[in-house]
Amino acid sequence: LEAAQRAKDAGSTRFCMGAAWRELGNKKNAFNHILEMVKGVNGMGLEVCCTLGMLNAEQAKQLKEAGLTAYNHNLDTSPEHYPKVITTRSYEDRLNTLANVRDAGISVCCGGILGLGEEETDRVGLLHVLATLPEHPESVPINALVAVEGTPLGDNADEADSIGNVSAFDMARMIATARIVMPRTMVRLSAGRLSFSDAEQFMMFSAGANSIFNGDKLLTTDNPEFDEDTRLFEKLGFVGKPAHAGPMVAPAEADGEVVITKVEVEKKQYA
């Protein structure tokens, strides 16, 4: 709760909490502590986000009742490339967690990582899956892989140019495409920001990013300090949106020239 207060004082409107495990499973004691933390952060007037691995329907319901705003569960890459990178859970497992979260009335935060050795078609494939979910995710984080020594991708980074080799232009293209296919979604600059200059980050914002993850740590990787991000926002003239406020409505939509509708789809999801 002290960390949440520091984040609020620094201008953040959403506080994210994560646990580095595969799934919540039967961790009842830990889950009860998490529910209390969610209630506490929500009581500060902040939006609350968690990333806790796979969830079942009952766990998602309890998190919603505790005041959870959003749940982060990334798909990471395309269905085709996924089994080349991740073996601890299937793509369908991830889609099922997203369905449980959405059915509980919690906003979905779901994105991916560039630099996993994927092809450009895999990046398109990821965005296609996200854009054709029953509802667009409220938030789509776009990450650049931070290759960590001691992990398979980190140890192989020097041998494969496609691992961890993500340019600002790669990020901008991914962000711009996400903005086009999911116009009301918050597209978030996430892991890897430390490797990009202020000018490169400005290009990404101009391409369609309208949010960042702020704070000293992103589960396992470093992130810019609060003061650095505050300075960057002041330089760029950016103003943060209030907590619990959705994205601004485009002028064309406000004037009635464009009408946003939801298309009903089969509830069954396919990887």
Side-chain angles (χ1 to χ4, degrees):
L1 295 182
E2 291 178 2
Q5 188 61 55
R6 290 198 304 272
K8 183 177 181 179
D9 293 342
S12 295
T13 57
R14 175 177 291 188
F15 188 72
C16 299
M17 298 179 284
W21 54 46
R22 178 179 181 272
E23 61 184 327
L24 191 53
N26 292 317
K27 303 175 180 67
K28 294 182 179 179
N29 189 45
F31 189 42
N32 287 333
H33 285 306
I34 290 168
L35 293 175
E36 289 303 315
M37 286 189 283
V38 169
K39 292 175 184 176
V41 175
N42 184 56
M44 296 179 182
L46 288 167
E47 297 176 8
V48 195
C49 179
C50 283
T51 178
L52 308 169
M54 293 186 291
L55 289 182
N56 61 38
E58 178 58 29
Q59 290 163 341
K61 180 182 177 183
Q62 291 182 60
L63 285 166
K64 172 64 176 178
E65 291 172 350
L68 191 70
T69 308
Y71 192 82
N72 171 255
H73 197 64
N74 289 337
L75 291 175
D76 293 332
T77 187
S78 70
E80 294 78 16
H81 189 62
Y82 183 89
K84 301 175 184 177
V85 182
I86 298 160
T87 58
T88 55
R89 71 207 81 179
S90 70
Y91 213 78
E92 193 68 27
D93 286 336
R94 291 187 182 255
L95 290 172
N96 287 337
T97 289
L98 295 180
N100 290 334
V101 168
R102 187 170 53 248
D103 291 345
I106 299 169
S107 293
V108 171
C109 175
C110 182
I113 306 172
L114 305 189
L116 298 175
E118 75 280 356
E119 303 289 340
E120 287 192 354
T121 52
D122 293 308
R123 297 175 184 179
V124 173
L126 169 63
L127 291 176
H128 180 267
V129 173
L130 293 173
T132 55
L133 290 172
E135 292 183 21
H136 289 168
E138 179 265 348
S139 171
V140 171
I142 304 296
N143 301 271
L145 177 69
V146 179
V148 178
E149 186 178 352
T151 64
L153 289 175
D155 292 342
N156 293 327
D158 293 335
E159 301 174 14
D161 290 339
S162 58
I163 295 178
N165 186 18
V166 179
S167 72
F169 293 104
D170 291 328
M171 292 288 286
R173 290 188 188 101
M174 191 72 172
I175 289 164
T177 309
R179 170 58 59 228
I180 291 168
V181 298
M182 293 173 283
R184 296 296 297 276
T185 291
M186 302 295 290
V187 181
R188 302 183 188 273
L189 283 183
S190 305
R193 277 203 303 127
L194 274 173
S195 63
F196 299 114
S197 67
D198 288 357
E200 288 172 328
Q201 291 186 62
F202 178 69
M203 178 176 67
M204 296 174 203
F205 285 118
S206 299
N210 55 352
S211 177
I212 62 168
F213 278 97
N214 183 273
D216 57 358
K217 206 78 171 175
L218 290 177
L219 197 58
T220 59
T221 60
D222 292 333
N223 203 40
E225 298 285 347
F226 279 123
D227 291 346
E228 291 182 26
D229 284 331
T230 299
R231 176 192 56 77
L232 175 63
F233 277 15
E234 289 176 350
K235 179 194 294 185
L236 301 180
F238 291 164
V239 179
K241 77 173 184 65
H244 303 289
M248 294 181 66
V249 176
E253 185 180 347
D255 295 339
E257 298 175 18
V258 174
V259 178
I260 304 296
T261 60
K262 290 183 181 179
V263 178
E264 294 296 327
V265 298
E266 292 182 2
K267 289 193 174 181
K268 187 174 181 180
Q269 301 177 93
Y270 298 90

